[in-house]
Amino acid sequence: MPTADGPLVAVVGGGLAGMAAAARLAKMGHAVVLHEASDVLGGRWAPYALPGDGGGGGGGGGGKILVDDAPGVLTFPAPWRDLSRKSGRPLEAELARSGLALVPAPAPTYRFADGSELVLPSDRGRQHEALLHAYGPGPAARWQHLLDSLGEVWQTLRPLGLEEPYDPSALTRDVVRRLRGRRSLADLADSLDEPHLRALVRSTAHRQGTTPERAPALTGVDLLVSRTFGRWQVAPDPAPARGRRPEAPGDVGRSSVLVELLAARLALRGVAVHLSSPVRGVETGPAGVTGVRTATGVEPAGAVVLAVDPWTAAGLLPPGAARGLRKALRGAGPVRLPVATHTVLDRTGPEEVDEHVELDGDGRPVVRTTRRLSGRTVRTTHDHHAGVPAPGWGLDTTGLRGWRRRPGTATAQPGVALAGAASPAGSSPSAVVQSGALAAYAVAGRRD
């Protein structure tokens, strides 16, 4: 396989998956070149500047405000920590250098179609108390039982594309049973027999860009992941290192900080990043992969990670190697990404992320996250009613039958691996980051 003294490993796509794969490969000692078609790294997670007034909502000038369209709250931070440690230094140490830390985020407030509200903590005990107070012992117990039962689903899913490469042959009859293979997420929601809790369960499908009727029951595991691993935000370090000077209040909940740290890691590891550099194909020869074709010609490469949407990946592969991937995409479509807007508010910035989620009767959410960014208060709205098709942000399939056909890490072309939000692990940021790890291991031929 390529080393720092040999042919390059080409990573195609500079989103979370591509950056994660490139960082790991470079740390393993491989020479890596990353091609990104746009002029920025990070995709939706890339920070960008708003005008001083943010386009509305009061407030005067004051220069640029740095925002992002990423979620202000993270769940399941373990893949982020693993990526940081396996590509350099621990995440906590890296954040501390900038006076930041990954700290627990407060519970979200849900507002339902009838106008009532519910603050739902992540902690199991406090969550049960909140539901007991709001709905009584029956619905609270059914919610608790549902999430507890999803523990088996979570343990079954982990080796199916999250922690290990996805192998469809592993889906035995027993595995399908444990994944609730005959049920949709809508079925799980209906089992609660309480309108608000039903909407909460259904919202997990809408947040993933699909519908509860199309989503398999395993989609509900997101509720358990949040309860198990909590909710986290990037915020000023509450306990800065001794001797560090107090600074002006920093950003709260700007998740694109993680992309900035990862970009710096790529530079430190010597990854050659080419922006505005679309790749037009993967070149192969009798011995396997020989390079990638760009606008300027063929660049040599001994292995390739395609961290792009699966339709683009199929178009880059040689026809024979793409046949299986195209078959996997039959009947599938892109998920719908919520429309993100930012409004600058004329008030003091919050000390922590404030998240309010409005759910209609179907469970379709509008998520409003208030954060302190560039010294101002910014409300970011992710409207899932106005979602737009986004091929790079996930694959919309029907039920477990569609889910099991999703492409894994491997391709029919030796030396080429896939990474991104279309994998069976899902489209959550943590799953996408982990897909980059699996792709890196696949082309490197080893795990570090």
Side-chain angles (χ1 to χ4, degrees):
M1 295 305 296
T3 68
D5 298 319
L8 296 173
V9 179
V11 177
V12 183
L16 294 183
M19 296 177 75
R24 286 180 182 265
L25 286 164
K27 181 62 168 60
M28 292 178 192
H30 295 274
V32 183
V33 58
L34 186 152
H35 294 274
E36 165 56 36
S38 73
D39 59 356
V40 295
L41 291 173
R44 187 175 176 83
W45 282 63
Y48 60 95
L50 289 178
D53 63 4
K64 300 293 184 179
I65 301 174
L66 204 59
V67 301
D68 57 45
D69 294 345
V73 174
L74 307 176
T75 58
F76 194 35
W80 290 99
R81 292 191 172 107
D82 186 64
L83 168 62
S84 187
R85 185 176 67 256
K86 296 290 180 62
S87 62
R89 68 170 68 225
L91 179 61
E92 287 75 10
E94 198 67 41
L95 286 167
R97 288 162 59 94
S98 302
L100 298 170
L102 198 60
V103 300
T109 299
Y110 292 94
R111 184 178 179 87
F112 300 98
D114 61 6
S116 60
E117 293 187 347
L118 172 69
V119 178
L120 189 65
S122 297
D123 175 81
R124 186 179 189 274
R126 294 176 57 213
Q127 190 174 98
H128 183 68
E129 289 180 6
L131 295 176
L132 189 64
H133 176 75
Y135 305 114
R142 286 192 291 274
W143 175 272
Q144 193 90 297
H145 174 73
L146 174 61
L147 266 63
D148 289 346
S149 70
L150 288 171
E152 181 183 46
V153 177
W154 169 244
Q155 295 301 329
T156 305
L157 280 173
R158 289 172 65 177
L160 296 175
L162 182 63
E163 297 176 356
E164 299 292 339
Y166 175 58
D167 179 4
S169 67
L171 290 171
T172 63
R173 182 175 298 179
D174 181 59
V175 168
V176 170
R177 177 192 63 78
R178 285 185 274 136
L179 292 176
R180 313 291 195 271
R182 295 181 178 275
R183 307 185 73 188
S184 69
L185 187 73
D187 294 330
L188 286 191
D190 290 343
S191 71
L192 291 172
D193 196 28
E194 203 294 317
H196 293 175
L197 301 185
R198 176 178 175 273
L200 276 172
V201 174
R202 291 178 66 87
S203 71
T204 61
H206 293 302
R207 284 184 183 240
Q208 293 187 24
T210 184
T211 66
E213 287 71 26
R214 286 177 61 85
L218 60 85
T219 306
V221 81
D222 281 4
L223 298 167
L224 175 69
V225 168
S226 178
R227 193 185 73 175
T228 303
F229 300 102
R231 292 160 44 87
W232 300 84
Q233 60 187 336
V234 176
D237 192 343
R242 181 176 297 178
R244 185 181 181 89
R245 283 185 169 186
E247 298 179 359
D251 290 352
V252 174
R254 185 168 72 81
S255 301
S256 53
V257 166
L258 300 177
V259 166
E260 294 171 331
L261 295 178
L262 190 49
R265 185 67 52 82
L266 297 182
L268 179 66
R269 295 294 170 203
V271 175
V273 175
H274 297 289
L275 300 177
S276 302
S277 178
V279 168
R280 298 178 177 177
V282 175
E283 295 292 309
T284 61
V289 174
T290 59
V292 294
R293 189 171 66 256
T294 69
T296 58
V298 176
E299 295 194 7
V304 176
V305 174
L306 294 179
V308 293
D309 71 80
W311 293 276
T312 297
L316 296 177
L317 288 168
R323 190 173 297 117
L325 181 54
R326 293 187 187 280
K327 182 179 179 181
L329 295 174
R330 292 175 186 168
V335 300
R336 299 188 70 83
L337 196 65
V339 173
T341 56
H342 305 279
T343 303
V344 180
L345 306 178
D346 190 15
R347 65 181 187 185
T348 304
E351 295 299 318
E352 53 189 5
V353 169
D354 181 17
E355 185 178 283
H356 281 69
V357 184
E358 293 184 5
L359 299 177
D360 64 12
D362 183 59
R364 196 178 303 274
V366 176
V367 184
R368 293 186 172 88
T369 306
T370 304
R371 307 176 282 177
R372 184 178 66 220
L373 302 175
S374 302
R376 304 295 299 280
T377 300
V378 178
R379 177 173 293 156
T380 298
T381 300
H382 289 94
D383 187 352
H384 289 264
H385 293 261
V388 295
W393 294 91
L395 202 60
D396 187 9
T397 56
T398 302
L400 188 68
R401 183 182 297 274
W403 176 88
R404 69 190 302 169
R405 292 174 56 188
R406 293 184 178 205
T409 304
T411 69
Q413 176 61 57
V416 178
L418 302 177
S423 77
S427 58
S428 71
S430 296
V432 172
V433 166
Q434 192 64 8
S435 77
L438 296 179
Y441 299 145
V443 299
R446 63 188 175 94
R447 297 186 69 149
D448 282 14

